[in-house]
Amino acid sequence: MTWTAHPTAIVEDGASVGAGTSVWHHAHVRAGARVGAGCSLGKNVYVDADVVLGDRVKVQNNVSVYHGVTIGDDVFLGPSCVFTNDLLPRASSTSWTVTPTRVDDGASIGANATIVCGTTIGAWAMVAAGSVVTRDVAAHQLVLGNPAHHHAWVCRQGHIVSRSAEAPTDPDDCAECREEPT
């Protein structure tokens, strides 16, 4: 199986795109980027040089993933979410320093959320739409607001399992998931 790209998409020579990945209208994948298998890059997505996207990542429309960002497997990036990569941006500067950002496996970032560089979004965490993440988000933590703050703990399916400040012992011990038909 191979990957597919819309005729208006640009996938530069030297980019690596995994089997079964779809690159949609006006998307741009730079040389040196690594996009995993089974991904979907929506309309107007930009994947910068040296960015790593894991397998089965869904990048919705109008998302730019800049140099210094690493995305794990099974991550959802909502429409128009934003990643930064320089803590001290200046138009007049002749150099800049990339500050790495990591999004771990299974995490979800809502529409129009901003992820300030230097942060880690933990596995299966959720960032609510419109939130501004300025510090690390723990695995299974749901954060919201500006700046983003703790709201709850979620299972792998995204159901709230606790609103306590302390992480649950087993965040995947979810009453709603036990009731869902398999």
Side-chain angles (χ1 to χ4, degrees):
M1 180 189 285
T2 186
W3 55 274
T4 60
H6 187 272
T8 61
I10 299 169
V11 179
E12 294 181 7
D13 289 341
S16 172
V17 180
T21 290
S22 298
V23 182
W24 293 101
H25 303 73
H26 307 291
H28 186 165
V29 181
R30 297 278 316 273
R34 289 184 299 159
V35 178
C39 295
S40 176
L41 307 183
K43 182 179 180 182
N44 202 38
V45 165
Y46 177 77
V47 180
D48 204 357
D50 300 321
V51 163
V52 175
L53 298 181
D55 295 335
R56 299 169 305 280
V57 174
K58 293 183 179 172
V59 185
Q60 300 298 92
N61 296 350
N62 303 310
V63 175
S64 293
V65 186
Y66 293 112
H67 180 77
V69 177
T70 301
I71 307 291
D73 296 338
D74 302 302
V75 170
F76 175 85
L77 302 177
S80 301
C81 73
V82 174
F83 291 92
T84 68
N85 67 355
D86 187 351
L87 289 171
L88 303 170
R90 293 286 185 250
S92 62
S93 178
T94 58
S95 66
W96 49 283
T97 301
V98 171
T99 302
T101 298
R102 190 177 80 233
V103 181
D104 290 340
D105 295 352
S108 293
I109 298 174
N112 295 308
T114 299
I115 312 302
V116 175
C117 57
T119 56
T120 296
I121 311 297
W124 306 102
M126 294 183 78
V127 175
S131 297
V132 179
V133 175
T134 59
R135 58 182 176 259
D136 291 350
V137 177
H140 292 275
Q141 187 176 31
L142 168 60
V143 298
L144 54 81
N146 180 6
H149 58 276
H150 174 77
H151 183 70
W153 300 98
V154 295
C155 70
R156 287 179 183 233
Q157 300 302 314
H159 300 122
I160 292 175
V161 294
S162 172
R163 294 192 189 274
S164 168
E166 300 299 318
T169 305
D170 181 3
D172 284 321
D173 183 17
C174 173
E176 286 192 55
C177 290
R178 286 191 303 266
E179 294 176 8
E180 290 179 359
T182 54

